[in-house]
Coordinates of all heavy atoms in Angstrom, one line a residue:
M1293 N 0.9 -1.2 0.0 CA 0.0 0.0 0.0 C 0.9 1.3 0.0 O 1.9 1.3 0.8 CB -0.9 0.0 1.2 CG -1.7 1.2 1.4 SD -2.8 1.3 2.9 CE -3.5 -0.3 3.0
S1294 N 0.6 2.2 -0.9 CA 1.3 3.4 -0.9 C 0.9 4.4 0.2 O -0.2 4.3 0.8 CB 1.2 4.1 -2.3 OG -0.1 4.6 -2.4
W1295 N 1.7 5.4 0.5 CA 1.4 6.5 1.4 C 0.1 7.2 1.0 O -0.7 7.6 1.8 CB 2.5 7.4 1.7 CG 3.6 6.8 2.5 CD1 4.9 6.5 2.1 CD2 3.6 6.4 3.9 NE1 5.6 6.0 3.1 CE2 4.9 5.9 4.2 CE3 2.6 6.5 4.9 CZ2 5.1 5.4 5.5 CZ3 2.9 6.0 6.1 CH2 4.2 5.5 6.4
E1296 N 0.0 7.4 -0.3 CA -1.2 8.0 -0.9 C -2.4 7.3 -0.6 O -3.5 7.8 -0.2 CB -1.0 8.2 -2.4 CG -2.2 8.9 -3.1 CD -2.4 10.4 -2.8 OE1 -1.4 11.0 -2.3 OE2 -3.5 10.9 -3.0
Q1297 N -2.4 6.0 -0.8 CA -3.6 5.1 -0.5 C -3.9 5.1 1.0 O -5.1 5.3 1.4 CB -3.3 3.7 -1.0 CG -3.3 3.5 -2.4 CD -2.8 2.2 -2.9 OE1 -1.9 1.6 -2.3 NE2 -3.3 1.7 -4.0
L1298 N -2.8 5.1 1.8 CA -3.1 5.1 3.3 C -3.7 6.5 3.6 O -4.6 6.5 4.5 CB -1.7 5.0 4.0 CG -1.8 5.1 5.5 CD1 -2.7 4.1 6.1 CD2 -0.4 5.1 6.2
S1299 N -3.3 7.5 3.0 CA -3.8 8.9 3.4 C -5.4 8.9 3.1 O -6.1 9.4 3.8 CB -3.1 10.0 2.7 OG -3.3 10.0 1.4
W1300 N -5.8 8.3 2.0 CA -7.2 8.2 1.7 C -8.0 7.4 2.7 O -9.1 7.7 3.0 CB -7.4 7.8 0.2 CG -7.1 8.9 -0.7 CD1 -6.1 9.1 -1.5 CD2 -7.9 10.2 -0.8 NE1 -6.1 10.3 -2.2 CE2 -7.2 11.0 -1.8 CE3 -9.1 10.6 -0.3 CZ2 -7.7 12.2 -2.1 CZ3 -9.6 11.9 -0.6 CH2 -8.9 12.6 -1.6
I1301 N -7.4 6.3 3.1 CA -8.0 5.4 4.1 C -8.2 6.2 5.4 O -9.3 6.2 6.0 CB -7.2 4.1 4.3 CG1 -7.4 3.2 3.1 CG2 -7.7 3.4 5.6 CD1 -6.4 2.1 3.1
L1302 N -7.2 7.0 5.8 CA -7.3 7.8 7.0 C -8.3 8.9 6.9 O -9.0 9.2 7.8 CB -5.9 8.3 7.3 CG -4.8 7.3 7.7 CD1 -3.4 8.0 7.8 CD2 -5.2 6.6 8.9
V1303 N -8.4 9.5 5.6 CA -9.5 10.5 5.4 C -10.8 9.8 5.7 O -11.7 10.4 6.3 CB -9.4 11.1 4.0 CG1 -10.7 11.8 3.6 CG2 -8.1 12.0 3.9
F1304 N -11.1 8.7 5.1 CA -12.3 8.0 5.3 C -12.6 7.7 6.7 O -13.7 7.9 7.2 CB -12.3 6.7 4.5 CG -13.6 5.9 4.7 CD1 -14.8 6.2 4.1 CD2 -13.5 4.7 5.5 CE1 -15.9 5.4 4.3 CE2 -14.7 4.0 5.8 CZ -15.9 4.3 5.2
L1305 N -11.6 7.1 7.5 CA -11.8 6.8 8.9 C -12.1 8.1 9.7 O -12.9 8.1 10.5 CB -10.5 6.1 9.5 CG -10.3 4.7 9.1 CD1 -9.0 4.3 9.6 CD2 -11.4 3.8 9.7
S1306 N -11.4 9.2 9.4 CA -11.6 10.4 10.1 C -13.1 11.0 9.9 O -13.7 11.4 10.8 CB -10.7 11.5 9.6 OG -9.3 11.1 9.9
L1307 N -13.5 10.9 8.6 CA -14.9 11.4 8.3 C -16.0 10.4 8.9 O -17.0 10.9 9.4 CB -15.1 11.5 6.8 CG -14.2 12.6 6.2 CD1 -14.3 12.5 4.6 CD2 -14.6 14.0 6.7
A1308 N -15.7 9.2 8.9 CA -16.7 8.2 9.4 C -16.7 8.4 11.0 O -17.8 8.4 11.6 CB -16.2 6.7 9.1
G1309 N -15.6 8.7 11.6 CA -15.6 9.0 13.0 C -16.4 10.2 13.3 O -17.2 10.3 14.3
N1310 N -16.4 11.3 12.5 CA -17.1 12.5 12.7 C -18.6 12.2 12.6 O -19.4 12.7 13.4 CB -16.7 13.5 11.6 CG -17.1 14.9 12.0 OD1 -17.1 15.2 13.2 ND2 -17.4 15.7 11.0
V1311 N -19.0 11.4 11.7 CA -20.4 11.0 11.6 C -20.9 10.3 12.8 O -22.0 10.6 13.4 CB -20.7 10.1 10.3 CG1 -22.1 9.5 10.4 CG2 -20.4 10.8 9.0
F1312 N -20.1 9.4 13.4 CA -20.5 8.7 14.6 C -20.5 9.6 15.8 O -21.4 9.5 16.7 CB -19.6 7.5 14.9 CG -20.0 6.3 14.1 CD1 -19.3 6.0 13.0 CD2 -20.9 5.4 14.6 CE1 -19.7 4.8 12.2 CE2 -21.2 4.3 13.9 CZ -20.6 4.0 12.7
V1313 N -19.6 10.6 15.9 CA -19.6 11.6 17.0 C -20.8 12.5 16.9 O -21.5 12.7 17.9 CB -18.3 12.4 16.9 CG1 -18.4 13.6 17.9 CG2 -17.1 11.5 17.4
I1314 N -21.2 12.9 15.7 CA -22.4 13.7 15.5 C -23.6 12.9 16.0 O -24.5 13.5 16.7 CB -22.6 14.1 14.1 CG1 -21.6 15.1 13.6 CG2 -24.0 14.6 13.7 CD1 -21.5 15.4 12.1
K1315 N -23.6 11.6 15.9 CA -24.7 10.8 16.3 C -24.5 10.4 17.8 O -25.3 9.6 18.3 CB -24.9 9.5 15.5 CG -25.3 9.8 14.1 CD -25.4 8.6 13.2 CE -25.9 8.9 11.8 NZ -27.4 8.9 11.7
K1316 N -23.5 10.9 18.5 CA -23.2 10.7 19.9 C -22.9 9.3 20.2 O -23.4 8.7 21.2 CB -24.3 11.3 20.7 CG -24.4 12.8 20.6 CD -25.5 13.4 21.5 CE -25.6 14.8 21.2 NZ -26.6 15.5 21.9
N1317 N -22.2 8.6 19.3 CA -21.8 7.2 19.4 C -20.4 7.1 19.6 O -19.5 7.7 18.9 CB -22.2 6.4 18.1 CG -22.0 4.9 18.3 OD1 -21.1 4.5 18.9 ND2 -23.0 4.2 17.6
V1318 N -20.0 6.4 20.7 CA -18.5 6.3 21.1 C -17.7 5.7 20.0 O -16.4 5.9 20.0 CB -18.4 5.6 22.5 CG1 -18.6 4.1 22.3 CG2 -17.0 5.9 23.1
V1319 N -18.3 4.9 19.1 CA -17.5 4.4 18.0 C -16.8 5.4 17.2 O -15.6 5.2 16.8 CB -18.5 3.6 17.1 CG1 -17.7 3.2 15.8 CG2 -19.0 2.3 17.7
G1320 N -17.3 6.6 17.2 CA -16.7 7.8 16.5 C -15.4 8.1 17.2 O -14.4 8.4 16.4
Q1321 N -15.3 8.1 18.5 CA -14.1 8.4 19.2 C -13.0 7.3 18.9 O -11.8 7.6 18.7 CB -14.3 8.4 20.7 CG -15.2 9.6 21.1 CD -14.5 11.0 21.0 OE1 -13.3 11.1 20.8 NE2 -15.3 12.0 21.2
W1322 N -13.4 6.1 18.8 CA -12.5 5.0 18.4 C -12.0 5.1 17.0 O -10.8 4.9 16.8 CB -13.2 3.6 18.6 CG -13.3 3.2 20.0 CD1 -14.4 3.2 20.8 CD2 -12.3 2.7 20.9 NE1 -14.2 2.8 22.1 CE2 -12.9 2.4 22.1 CE3 -10.9 2.4 20.7 CZ2 -12.1 1.9 23.2 CZ3 -10.2 1.9 21.8 CH2 -10.8 1.6 23.0
L1323 N -12.8 5.5 16.1 CA -12.4 5.7 14.7 C -11.4 6.9 14.6 O -10.4 6.8 13.9 CB -13.6 5.9 13.8 CG -14.5 4.7 13.5 CD1 -15.8 5.2 12.7 CD2 -13.7 3.7 12.8
W1324 N -11.7 7.9 15.3 CA -10.9 9.1 15.4 C -9.5 8.7 16.0 O -8.5 9.1 15.4 CB -11.5 10.2 16.1 CG -12.3 11.2 15.3 CD1 -12.4 11.2 14.0 CD2 -13.1 12.2 15.9 NE1 -13.2 12.3 13.6 CE2 -13.7 12.9 14.8 CE3 -13.4 12.6 17.1 CZ2 -14.5 13.9 14.9 CZ3 -14.3 13.7 17.3 CH2 -14.9 14.3 16.2
A1325 N -9.5 8.0 17.1 CA -8.3 7.6 17.7 C -7.4 6.8 16.7 O -6.2 7.0 16.5 CB -8.5 6.8 19.0
T1326 N -8.0 5.8 16.0 CA -7.4 5.0 15.1 C -6.8 5.8 13.9 O -5.6 5.7 13.5 CB -8.3 3.9 14.5 OG1 -8.8 3.1 15.6 CG2 -7.6 3.0 13.5
S1327 N -7.6 6.7 13.4 CA -7.2 7.5 12.2 C -6.1 8.5 12.7 O -5.1 8.7 12.0 CB -8.3 8.2 11.6 OG -8.9 9.2 12.4
N1328 N -6.2 9.0 13.9 CA -5.2 10.0 14.4 C -3.8 9.3 14.5 O -2.8 9.9 14.2 CB -5.6 10.5 15.8 CG -6.7 11.5 15.6 OD1 -7.0 12.1 14.5 ND2 -7.5 11.8 16.7
I1329 N -3.8 8.0 15.0 CA -2.5 7.3 15.1 C -2.0 7.1 13.7 O -0.8 7.3 13.5 CB -2.7 6.0 15.8 CG1 -3.1 6.2 17.3 CG2 -1.5 5.0 15.7 CD1 -3.6 5.0 18.1
G1330 N -2.8 6.8 12.8 CA -2.4 6.7 11.4 C -1.8 8.0 10.8 O -0.8 8.0 10.1
W1331 N -2.5 9.1 11.2 CA -2.0 10.4 10.8 C -0.7 10.7 11.4 O 0.2 11.4 10.7 CB -3.0 11.5 11.0 CG -4.2 11.6 10.1 CD1 -5.5 11.4 10.4 CD2 -4.1 11.7 8.7 NE1 -6.3 11.4 9.3 CE2 -5.5 11.7 8.2 CE3 -3.1 11.9 7.8 CZ2 -5.8 11.8 6.8 CZ3 -3.4 12.1 6.4 CH2 -4.7 12.0 6.0
V1332 N -0.4 10.4 12.6 CA 0.9 10.6 13.3 C 1.9 9.9 12.5 O 3.0 10.4 12.1 CB 0.9 10.2 14.7 CG1 2.3 10.1 15.3 CG2 -0.1 11.0 15.6
I1333 N 1.7 8.6 12.1 CA 2.7 7.8 11.4 C 2.9 8.4 10.0 O 4.1 8.6 9.5 CB 2.2 6.4 11.3 CG1 2.2 5.7 12.6 CG2 3.1 5.6 10.3 CD1 1.5 4.4 12.7
F1334 N 1.8 8.8 9.3 CA 1.9 9.4 8.0 C 2.7 10.7 8.1 O 3.6 11.0 7.3 CB 0.5 9.7 7.5 CG 0.5 10.3 6.1 CD1 0.7 9.6 5.0 CD2 0.3 11.7 6.0 CE1 0.7 10.2 3.7 CE2 0.3 12.3 4.8 CZ 0.5 11.6 3.6
D1335 N 2.4 11.6 9.0 CA 3.0 12.9 9.1 C 4.5 12.8 9.5 O 5.3 13.5 8.9 CB 2.3 13.8 10.2 CG 0.9 14.2 9.7 OD1 0.7 14.3 8.5 OD2 0.1 14.5 10.6
V1336 N 4.8 11.9 10.3 CA 6.2 11.7 10.7 C 7.0 11.2 9.4 O 8.1 11.6 9.1 CB 6.4 10.7 11.8 CG1 7.9 10.2 12.0 CG2 6.0 11.3 13.1
S1337 N 6.4 10.3 8.6 CA 7.0 9.8 7.4 C 7.3 10.9 6.4 O 8.2 10.7 5.6 CB 6.1 8.7 6.8 OG 5.0 9.2 6.1
I1338 N 6.5 11.9 6.4 CA 6.7 13.0 5.4 C 7.4 14.2 6.0 O 7.6 15.3 5.4 CB 5.4 13.5 4.7 CG1 4.4 14.0 5.7 CG2 4.8 12.3 3.9 CD1 3.2 14.7 5.0
G1339 N 7.7 14.1 7.3 CA 8.5 15.2 8.0 C 7.6 16.3 8.5 O 8.1 17.4 8.8
A1340 N 6.3 16.1 8.6 CA 5.4 17.1 9.1 C 5.2 16.9 10.6 O 4.2 16.5 11.1 CB 4.1 17.0 8.4
Y1341 N 6.3 17.3 11.4 CA 6.3 17.0 12.8 C 5.3 17.8 13.6 O 4.8 17.3 14.6 CB 7.8 17.2 13.3 CG 8.7 16.3 12.6 CD1 9.7 16.8 11.7 CD2 8.6 14.9 12.8 CE1 10.6 16.0 11.1 CE2 9.5 14.1 12.1 CZ 10.4 14.6 11.3 OH 11.3 13.8 10.6
S1342 N 5.1 19.1 13.3 CA 4.1 19.9 14.0 C 2.7 19.2 13.8 O 1.9 19.2 14.8 CB 4.1 21.3 13.6 OG 3.8 21.4 12.2
Q1343 N 2.4 18.8 12.6 CA 1.1 18.1 12.5 C 1.0 16.8 13.1 O 0.0 16.4 13.7 CB 0.8 18.0 10.9 CG -0.7 17.5 10.7 CD -1.1 17.9 9.2 OE1 -1.2 19.0 8.9 NE2 -1.3 16.8 8.5
A1344 N 2.1 16.1 13.2 CA 2.2 14.8 13.9 C 1.9 15.1 15.4 O 1.1 14.3 16.0 CB 3.5 14.1 13.7
C1345 N 2.5 16.1 15.9 CA 2.2 16.6 17.3 C 0.7 16.8 17.6 O 0.1 16.4 18.5 CB 3.1 17.7 17.7 SG 2.8 18.3 19.4
L1346 N 0.1 17.6 16.6 CA -1.3 17.9 16.7 C -2.1 16.6 16.8 O -3.0 16.5 17.6 CB -1.7 18.7 15.5 CG -3.2 19.0 15.3 CD1 -3.7 19.9 16.5 CD2 -3.5 19.7 14.0
F1347 N -1.9 15.7 15.9 CA -2.6 14.4 15.9 C -2.4 13.6 17.1 O -3.2 12.8 17.5 CB -2.4 13.7 14.6 CG -3.3 14.2 13.5 CD1 -2.7 15.0 12.5 CD2 -4.6 14.0 13.4 CE1 -3.4 15.5 11.4 CE2 -5.4 14.6 12.4 CZ -4.8 15.3 11.4
M1348 N -1.1 13.7 17.8 CA -0.9 13.0 19.0 C -1.8 13.5 20.1 O -2.4 12.8 20.9 CB 0.6 13.1 19.4 CG 1.5 12.2 18.6 SD 3.3 12.4 18.8 CE 3.4 12.5 20.6
V1349 N -1.9 14.9 20.1 CA -2.8 15.5 21.1 C -4.3 15.1 20.8 O -5.0 14.8 21.7 CB -2.6 17.1 21.1 CG1 -3.7 17.8 21.9 CG2 -1.2 17.4 21.5
Y1350 N -4.7 15.1 19.6 CA -6.0 14.7 19.2 C -6.3 13.2 19.7 O -7.4 12.9 20.2 CB -6.3 14.7 17.7 CG -6.5 16.1 17.1 CD1 -6.5 16.3 15.7 CD2 -6.8 17.2 18.0 CE1 -6.7 17.5 15.2 CE2 -7.1 18.5 17.4 CZ -7.0 18.6 16.0 OH -7.3 19.8 15.4
T1351 N -5.3 12.4 19.6 CA -5.4 11.0 20.0 C -5.7 11.0 21.5 O -6.5 10.2 22.0 CB -4.2 10.2 19.7 OG1 -4.0 10.2 18.2 CG2 -4.3 8.7 20.1
G1352 N -4.9 11.7 22.3 CA -5.1 11.9 23.7 C -6.5 12.3 24.0 O -7.2 11.8 25.0
M1353 N -7.0 13.3 23.2 CA -8.4 13.8 23.5 C -9.4 12.8 23.1 O -10.4 12.7 23.8 CB -8.6 15.1 22.7 CG -7.7 16.2 23.1 SD -7.8 17.7 22.1 CE -9.4 18.4 22.7
C1354 N -9.1 12.0 22.1 CA -10.1 10.8 21.8 C -10.1 9.8 23.0 O -11.2 9.4 23.3 CB -9.7 10.1 20.6 SG -10.0 11.1 19.1
I1355 N -9.0 9.6 23.5 CA -9.0 8.6 24.7 C -9.7 9.2 25.8 O -10.5 8.5 26.5 CB -7.5 8.3 25.0 CG1 -6.8 7.4 24.0 CG2 -7.5 7.5 26.4 CD1 -5.4 7.3 24.1
W1356 N -9.6 10.5 26.1 CA -10.3 11.2 27.1 C -11.8 11.1 26.8 O -12.7 10.8 27.7 CB -9.9 12.6 27.1 CG -10.5 13.5 28.1 CD1 -11.3 13.2 29.2 CD2 -10.4 14.9 28.2 NE1 -11.7 14.3 29.8 CE2 -11.2 15.4 29.2 CE3 -9.7 15.9 27.4 CZ2 -11.3 16.8 29.5 CZ3 -9.9 17.2 27.7 CH2 -10.6 17.7 28.7
G1357 N -12.2 11.3 25.6 CA -13.6 11.2 25.2 C -14.2 9.8 25.3 O -15.3 9.6 25.8
I1358 N -13.4 8.8 25.0 CA -13.8 7.4 25.1 C -14.1 7.1 26.6 O -15.1 6.5 27.0 CB -12.8 6.4 24.6 CG1 -12.7 6.5 23.0 CG2 -13.0 5.0 25.0 CD1 -11.5 5.8 22.4
I1359 N -13.2 7.5 27.5 CA -13.3 7.3 28.9 C -14.6 8.0 29.4 O -15.4 7.5 30.1 CB -12.1 7.7 29.7 CG1 -11.0 6.8 29.3 CG2 -12.3 7.7 31.2 CD1 -9.6 7.2 29.8
A1360 N -14.7 9.3 29.0 CA -15.8 10.1 29.6 C -17.2 9.6 29.0 O -18.1 9.5 29.8 CB -15.7 11.6 29.1
W1361 N -17.3 9.2 27.8 CA -18.5 8.7 27.2 C -18.9 7.3 27.8 O -20.0 7.0 28.0 CB -18.4 8.6 25.7 CG -18.4 9.9 24.9 CD1 -18.2 11.2 25.5 CD2 -18.8 10.2 23.6 NE1 -18.3 12.1 24.6 CE2 -18.7 11.6 23.4 CE3 -19.1 9.3 22.6 CZ2 -18.9 12.2 22.2 CZ3 -19.4 9.9 21.3 CH2 -19.3 11.3 21.1
S1362 N -17.8 6.5 28.0 CA -18.1 5.2 28.6 C -18.6 5.3 30.0 O -19.5 4.6 30.4 CB -16.8 4.4 28.6 OG -16.4 4.1 27.2
K1363 N -18.1 6.3 30.8 CA -18.6 6.5 32.1 C -20.1 6.9 32.1 O -20.9 6.5 32.9 CB -17.8 7.5 32.9 CG -16.5 7.0 33.3 CD -15.7 8.1 34.1 CE -14.3 7.6 34.5 NZ -13.5 8.6 35.2
K1364 N -20.4 7.8 31.1 CA -21.8 8.3 31.0 C -22.7 7.1 30.7 O -23.9 7.0 31.2 CB -21.9 9.4 30.0 CG -21.4 10.7 30.4 CD -21.6 11.7 29.2 CE -20.9 13.0 29.6 NZ -21.0 14.0 28.5
T1365 N -22.3 6.2 29.8 CA -23.0 5.0 29.5 C -23.2 4.1 30.7 O -24.3 3.6 30.9 CB -22.4 4.3 28.3 OG1 -22.2 5.2 27.2 CG2 -23.2 3.1 27.9
E1366 N -22.2 3.9 31.5 CA -22.3 3.1 32.7 C -23.3 3.7 33.7 O -24.1 2.9 34.3 CB -20.9 3.0 33.3 CG -20.0 2.1 32.6 CD -18.6 2.1 33.2 OE1 -18.4 2.6 34.3 OE2 -17.6 1.6 32.5
L1367 N -23.2 5.0 33.8 CA -24.2 5.7 34.8 C -25.6 5.5 34.3 O -26.5 5.3 35.1 CB -23.8 7.1 34.9 CG -22.5 7.5 35.7 CD1 -22.2 9.0 35.6 CD2 -22.6 7.0 37.1
K1368 N -25.9 5.6 33.0 CA -27.2 5.5 32.5 C -27.7 4.0 32.7 O -28.9 3.8 33.0 CB -27.3 5.8 31.0 CG -27.2 7.3 30.7 CD -27.3 7.6 29.2 CE -27.2 9.0 28.9 NZ -27.2 9.3 27.5
A1369 N -26.8 3.1 32.5 CA -27.1 1.6 32.7 C -27.5 1.4 34.2 O -28.3 0.5 34.4 CB -26.0 0.8 32.2
E1370 N -26.9 2.0 35.1 CA -27.1 1.8 36.5 C -28.4 2.4 37.0 O -29.0 2.0 38.0 CB -25.9 2.3 37.3 CG -24.6 1.5 37.1 CD -23.5 2.2 37.9 OE1 -23.7 3.2 38.6 OE2 -22.4 1.7 37.7
S1371 N -28.9 3.4 36.3 CA -30.1 4.1 36.6 C -31.4 3.3 36.4 O -31.6 2.5 35.6 CB -30.2 5.4 35.9 OG -29.2 6.3 36.2

């Protein structure tokens, strides 16, 4: 697989993640986290270190979102 093909897969995953987040589904956070890790790898490979840093922060925010959304789901289930 070429870097160009990988970048299009990452675009698709990022956009799909956005659709799920709009629908308030935690799957979107997982898709974003996965695509963000891919973007970090892609950006490092092309020397775009500042953008790689941005996507590393985004990955951390996705993990934060997964934890927060999962806690909300657990609280609703207990009610």
Side-chain angles (χ1 to χ4, degrees):
M1293 175 183 315
S1294 71
W1295 287 112
E1296 178 70 17
Q1297 291 169 324
L1298 175 62
S1299 70
W1300 283 107
I1301 291 169
L1302 295 173
V1303 165
F1304 174 77
L1305 285 174
S1306 299
L1307 293 172
N1310 199 33
V1311 170
F1312 278 96
V1313 167
I1314 289 168
K1315 294 181 176 271
K1316 298 181 182 177
N1317 187 323
V1318 74
V1319 170
Q1321 295 288 352
W1322 284 103
L1323 289 172
W1324 269 349
T1326 302
S1327 65
N1328 288 340
I1329 292 166
W1331 284 119
V1332 170
I1333 294 166
F1334 179 82
D1335 290 335
V1336 167
S1337 77
I1338 65 169
Y1341 301 111
S1342 58
Q1343 189 160 295
C1345 179
L1346 174 67
F1347 280 105
M1348 284 174 43
V1349 171
Y1350 282 167
T1351 301
M1353 294 174 78
C1354 287
I1355 292 167
W1356 179 14
I1358 290 166
I1359 292 167
W1361 287 21
S1362 297
K1363 285 181 181 179
K1364 286 180 184 177
T1365 303
E1366 287 174 12
L1367 290 174
K1368 286 181 183 177
E1370 291 175 4
S1371 298

